[in-house]
Every structure is written in structure tokens, then in C-alpha cells.
Amino acid sequence: MQLKQLQILVTSDIHGYIMPTTFRQKIEPLGLAKVGTLIEQLREEKPTILIDNGDLIQGSPLTYYHHAFQEHKLDPVIEAANLLDYDFAVFGNHEFNYGKSYLDAVIAQSNFPWLSGNITNEDGTSYTQPYLVKEVSGIRIGFIALTTHFVTVWEEPRHIEGLSFKDAYEFANFWITQVKAHEQLDLIALCYHGGFENDLITGETLEATTGENQGYKMCKELDFDLLITGHQHRELAEKLFGKSIIQPGTKGNCLGVITIEIEKCFDKQQIHHKPSLVYVTDETPVHEGIVQQNKEVYSATEEWLDVTIGQLDTEIHFSDAFSVRVQKHPYIQLIQDIQMEMSGAPISCTALFHDQAGGFPAKITMRHIINNYIFPNTLKVLKVSGRHIMEALEQNATYFTIDQNNQLRVSKSFYYPKPQPYNYDMWEGIEYVMDIRKPLDQRITKALYNGEPLQPEAYYEVVMNNYRATGAGNFPYFAECEVIKDIQIDMTELIARYFQDHPTVESKLKKNWDILY
């Protein structure tokens, strides 16, 4: 009997984190420089295929700085990926945040192919090659690339002009059929920048049937062997319907590994596969080549982040994000005021995007802004009916539940299978009361504009981020609203401009909403 082994190593949702820091703390167990060390160590053990499964180039202060000030230089994440010798990459939804021209430049800079099995050009051809066949240790594996087709819901149309995002499940089925007909393969792997819509153990539906995540349906209904996933930032290494599944977290906190063993005995062959995760730790050394490669842009980013650009009359910190969503905080007031001033809209809604401590000190730097406002949002002003505002408020009220001890808690759907604090909005310019003791869809007991009840058929100008304006987060009616104003400037830049326009900003708190429980 002959036994051979190979491994597939997977990163996903790196989000531009190269160095072991989120720029909040100095050193943290994450980043491509640390993951790179694990990759090099594991490569010494057996033949290897290295994959990135999407959301590679966008999301960190370093990539923000590079895009804003050094776009003429090579993308630093791609430089690191080239050094690590990736075999291919899959497009994530955030690959399109900087626009198609930037992404085309990234593709040209990459020493590896980018695959797109369900992204097509206007003429119906694939944007890039849809699949790739790799032969290692005598085993031929077909890798089919898929990206959540919800990109069109979230992304600015100008960033994806000329591209179509087809249903990921349907195109998984199509390409599985194609590779079986035209390729001699031992294994088929779906590399899907998407996640799971059902609980992996019980099969319980976890989210509405929107198509954003279709991994469970793929595993249950399609004939393939390995499912590499991402998007949800979960840490998964399991078997589902006989298939090995991997999802390796986010920001390079761990590396996905699928070990494949081939047993050959005379003319018979058996293939076994097993998924696992290898975690980055504080003790994991950094990859010195990547550190040296990124030394200049990292230092420039650190310096830029600490330049004072504005001042408050007092600090507005918070230690508990949940409390900010229960009782209005001056930080939220400030973001609402900025959105309303920069847009001219009389009503605003915004979320507190993360669950960490936050807020601003008296002296504001770009580090403070980016660490608090963590997404590359722009603003839109929509013409929204009173009825839809009421529906949005009721949707926000689903964020809360009351436990058996009569304590206010976050509803399960907002933290499992993926934390979604960014889908709970607070509103400004109206007065409202949420009573969490009441049944769903009956929790908004007061909603006033200028002291008068919101009129269902009347229309109101509302400013919100571009993500929410697409209807994402279970607000589908916003996608149908007329766009009155589209402000094509990143919100972090708007916050910086606001401080530059106001030498000293007064901390305010206008109480306009209450939560009863």
C-alpha cells in the first residue's frame, strides 16, 4: 500500500491586516505577517496548495492609508501575498470597495490568478477564469470560485459597472457539471466567499432566504468534496454531509487546513480529507520578509494616524457598547450631527458598528476616527415614507430581547451565526420610544417629527450610510427609495473635515429616544 499526503491552506477575510495589530493595541495575534510564518512552517511538512478566499485587500487603516495617499505604489497586501506564493485568490465582496479600476490594477500586480465562477462581464463571459485545476501528489483537484451575489446590494454601482453577479448556488451547480464533463478530477472544491444560512448541527434556518449565504444548501444538494468558506468571519473546521468545510476567521487570526490522504493499493485508490484550524498566538513569530516589505507603509500609516486634526470640549469615551445602544451617548450624537450637517438632511440614522470600547478623547486623531468608524461608508439622503421609517424602527427593535431574569439582552439573530451590531440603527431628528415588553412589530409606541406623529404616506429626507441605503440588514424598502443626494466621500474623511471646519466641537446630548423593558 502506498500513502501520500497533501494539504490545502486557506486564508480568508484578511481585510488588509498585514502586521500583528489592529492599530488599537501594539501587538496582537493576527495579521498576514504572522499567518505567513505558519504557512511557511506547514509547507515544510507536505505538498501544499495555498488559497485566499476573499476580502483580502480592504479593511485596515493601512489599506485605507495606501488607497488614499499611495495608490500609485504596489498594493502592500498583494506584495505580501506574492511573497507567500499564493496559488490563487477568490473575490470577496470587499474587493470592489475601491472600484473596478483599482481592482484591475491589483489583479495585474498579483503573481497568481483571481478566480470568479459567478462574476460575468456584460457579454456573459467570466470576469476572470471560473475555476482552476491543480495536480499535487498525483491528485487532481478542481477549484471552483464563487462570490456572494449580494455584492450588488452593498456596492456602489460605479464600482462594479459592467459586471454581473450571478446566483452563487446556481453557478456552483453549473461549474460542477462542467468540470465533471471536461476534467479528469479526483476531488472538487468550492471556494465560496459566502457562509452558512443554516445551523450546521440542527439544520435550523438562521437567516431569511436572501441568498447572501448559501453554503448549507450547497453542501446538502450538490455533489462535490470540499467547501472553503468565508464572509461570516466564523472559525469552522467540520464535516457536513460528508464534505470537509473550512472557514478561517478574520484578520489572519487563524489558518484553515484541509489535509488530504491518498491510499493506493494496486489499482484501487481511496482519498480521505480532514479539516482543521491552526491559530496564530502571541508567540507566533512574524514573517521577516513581509515585515521588511511593509516597513515603509506601516510606519507612514502609524505616523498619519496620530496627527491631531480636531478637538472636543471634553472626552466622550464609552466602555460598554451595549449600553450605548440602550441609552443615547454623546458619541452617537456627534456622528448624527456630522451626518446631518454634511448632508443637509433633517433626519439621520446610524449604528455603532462594533462591540468594543470606543468614543473620542478631547484631542482627535485619524486613529480615533478610523478605530471607531470602521467601515468605508459614504452617505446617501433618501426620500423615505413615514410608513417605512416606522418599519425600520420596528426592525431595530428586534435587536433586543428580555431574558428570564427580566434583563435586556441582544437577540440571538444579531450575534449568531455572525455578529451584526452594525444592523441596529439609532435615529436622530425624530422622537421615538421602543417598548421591548411588547410583541414584535408592536414595540414602537411613539414616533414624532417636529412634535407631530409620523404620517405613513408623508415623505421625509433621511441621511444614512450607503450600506443601509441598499436595504442591507433587513431594510429592503430603503432600496426602493428615491436618492435625493449621494455624497461620494468616505465617512471617515467627512468626520475629519467636520473637525477641521469646527476648531472646537461642543459635546452635546439631545435625548430623543427611550427604550423601555
Side-chain angles (χ1 to χ4, degrees):
M1 184 179 72
Q2 185 181 21
L3 180 65
K4 291 185 178 181
Q5 286 189 331
L6 64 102
Q7 62 188 351
I8 301 170
L9 304 183
V10 182
T11 58
S12 190
D13 299 88
I14 293 292
H15 282 291
Y17 283 88
I18 301 173
M19 302 297 286
T21 177
T22 58
F23 297 91
R24 295 185 178 95
Q25 303 175 36
K26 285 297 181 184
I27 301 295
E28 299 171 77
L30 53 82
L32 202 52
K34 286 208 168 199
V35 170
T37 297
L38 297 182
I39 290 169
E40 298 291 15
Q41 291 172 347
L42 288 169
R43 266 199 176 121
E44 294 179 0
E45 298 179 3
K46 57 179 69 76
T48 298
I49 299 170
L50 177 60
I51 299 167
D52 185 80
N53 200 52
D55 283 0
L56 177 63
I57 65 171
Q58 181 280 333
S60 73
L62 186 146
T63 53
Y64 177 94
Y65 174 82
H66 173 266
H67 179 251
F69 303 107
Q70 293 189 352
E71 191 173 334
H72 60 287
K73 296 185 178 182
L74 292 177
D75 184 284
V77 187
I78 297 304
E79 282 193 287
N82 285 340
L83 187 62
L84 291 172
D85 197 21
Y86 274 79
D87 287 280
F88 66 87
V90 177
F91 296 102
N93 51 295
H94 284 287
E95 254 67 63
F96 299 89
N97 285 169
Y98 296 145
K100 188 171 176 294
S101 61
Y102 186 89
L103 181 54
D104 287 342
V106 160
I107 294 170
Q109 293 168 20
S110 303
N111 294 340
F112 48 86
W114 287 77
L115 307 185
S116 59
N118 66 318
I119 308 174
T120 63
N121 299 307
E122 290 178 331
D123 62 1
T125 58
S126 293
Y127 173 43
T128 57
Q129 67 188 87
Y131 69 88
L132 183 69
V133 175
K134 299 288 290 185
E135 183 170 340
V136 179
S137 298
I139 297 298
R140 286 174 59 83
I141 306 175
F143 294 92
I144 300 168
L146 304 156
T147 302
T148 175
H149 51 267
F150 255 48
V151 173
T152 56
V153 174
W154 303 311
E155 196 52 70
E156 289 291 325
R158 62 193 176 91
H159 288 171
I160 53 176
E161 187 174 359
L163 297 178
S164 294
F165 293 78
K166 307 299 185 181
D167 185 279
Y169 171 86
E170 292 180 6
F171 270 64
N173 189 30
F174 172 79
W175 286 115
I176 288 170
T177 302
Q178 292 296 308
V179 298
K180 284 184 175 182
H182 298 99
E183 307 284 354
Q184 296 296 316
L185 300 174
D186 297 294
L187 293 170
I188 296 175
L190 298 185
C191 303
Y192 172 44
H193 189 82
F196 296 95
E197 70 280 31
N198 292 62
D199 185 279
L200 300 184
I201 297 174
T202 67
E204 175 190 359
T205 300
L206 300 175
E207 62 184 35
T209 310
T210 61
E212 178 184 349
N213 299 295
Q214 299 172 297
Y216 191 88
K217 183 179 181 183
M218 290 175 183
C219 276
K220 185 177 182 180
E221 299 180 6
L222 301 181
D223 184 18
F224 62 98
D225 304 287
L226 316 173
L227 181 61
I228 294 161
T229 65
H231 187 54
Q232 291 174 316
H233 299 182
R234 299 169 70 184
E235 297 165 15
L236 301 173
E238 300 181 26
K239 286 290 187 84
L240 182 63
F241 300 111
K243 302 169 175 70
S244 288
I245 62 169
I246 278 285
Q247 190 171 145
T250 183
K251 299 184 180 70
N253 68 315
C254 62
L255 179 68
V257 182
I258 300 177
T259 302
I260 300 170
E261 289 188 346
I262 310 102
E263 293 180 5
K264 286 189 176 182
C265 187
F266 299 108
D267 59 343
K268 292 184 178 180
Q269 175 175 284
Q270 284 191 324
I271 302 176
H272 308 280
H273 41 84
K274 180 181 178 181
S276 62
L277 296 172
V278 179
Y279 284 84
V280 167
T281 68
D282 292 330
E283 288 71 38
T284 305
V286 293
H287 188 293
E288 286 300 329
I290 293 176
V291 171
Q292 290 303 314
Q293 196 179 59
N294 283 271
K295 188 174 182 180
E296 181 183 337
V297 67
Y298 173 69
S299 297
T301 302
E302 285 282 10
E303 183 178 340
W304 167 71
L305 286 173
D306 289 326
V307 174
T308 299
I309 59 172
Q311 186 164 324
L312 284 162
D313 63 346
T314 184
E315 64 88 17
I316 50 172
H317 284 125
F318 56 86
S319 59
D320 180 10
F322 182 71
S323 68
V324 174
R325 300 184 182 107
V326 178
Q327 293 183 326
K328 189 176 179 183
H329 190 273
Y331 169 77
I332 296 299
Q333 182 73 65
L334 176 63
I335 299 301
Q336 304 280 32
D337 289 346
I338 292 171
Q339 290 193 170
M340 293 164 79
E341 178 169 318
M342 293 299 183
S343 68
I347 301 174
S348 172
C349 67
T350 191
L352 177 60
F353 298 115
H354 56 75
D355 283 324
Q356 285 75 46
F360 290 144
K363 292 186 180 296
I364 310 295
T365 67
M366 279 303 299
R367 191 186 302 274
H368 300 130
I369 294 172
I370 290 175
N371 282 349
N372 281 277
Y373 204 102
I374 61 175
F375 293 121
N377 292 333
T378 58
L379 296 179
K380 288 189 176 184
V381 179
L382 304 185
K383 186 177 180 181
V384 185
S385 70
R387 181 178 71 257
H388 286 155
I389 292 176
M390 289 294 295
E391 289 177 353
L393 292 173
E394 290 287 2
Q395 170 58 29
N396 287 319
T398 68
Y399 180 77
F400 298 104
T401 188
I402 299 174
D403 67 15
Q404 63 272 22
N405 298 317
N406 289 322
Q407 296 297 307
L408 196 65
R409 296 284 184 258
V410 178
S411 297
K412 182 180 178 181
S413 62
F414 280 83
Y415 64 82
Y416 182 80
K418 176 182 178 180
Q420 299 179 58
Y422 48 80
N423 282 331
Y424 167 72
D425 289 331
M426 292 157 278
W427 286 65
E428 188 71 25
I430 60 175
E431 299 174 51
Y432 61 97
V433 174
M434 289 182 181
D435 190 341
I436 310 305
R437 299 166 298 186
K438 293 185 177 295
L440 295 176
D441 295 325
Q442 299 177 37
R443 290 179 168 182
I444 304 304
T445 58
K446 182 175 84 169
L448 308 177
Y449 176 68
N450 287 339
E452 298 293 329
L454 286 172
Q455 299 301 308
E457 304 306 318
Y459 285 90
Y460 305 84
E461 294 185 8
V462 181
V463 60
M464 62 185 70
N465 66 62
N466 61 307
Y467 173 82
R468 186 67 75 241
T470 65
N474 295 312
F475 302 87
Y477 29 81
F478 288 154
E480 307 299 323
C481 293
E482 178 186 346
V483 178
I484 298 172
K485 188 179 295 184
D486 190 351
I487 302 171
Q488 294 293 327
I489 300 171
D490 192 281
M491 185 60 184
T492 54
E493 184 177 338
L494 290 179
I495 296 171
R497 287 187 185 185
Y498 183 86
F499 281 109
Q500 291 164 358
D501 293 343
H502 301 80
T504 300
V505 176
E506 180 184 355
S507 174
K508 296 179 289 185
L509 185 61
K510 296 178 285 186
K511 190 172 177 59
N512 67 303
W513 50 266
D514 280 304
I515 296 176
L516 306 179
Y517 60 97

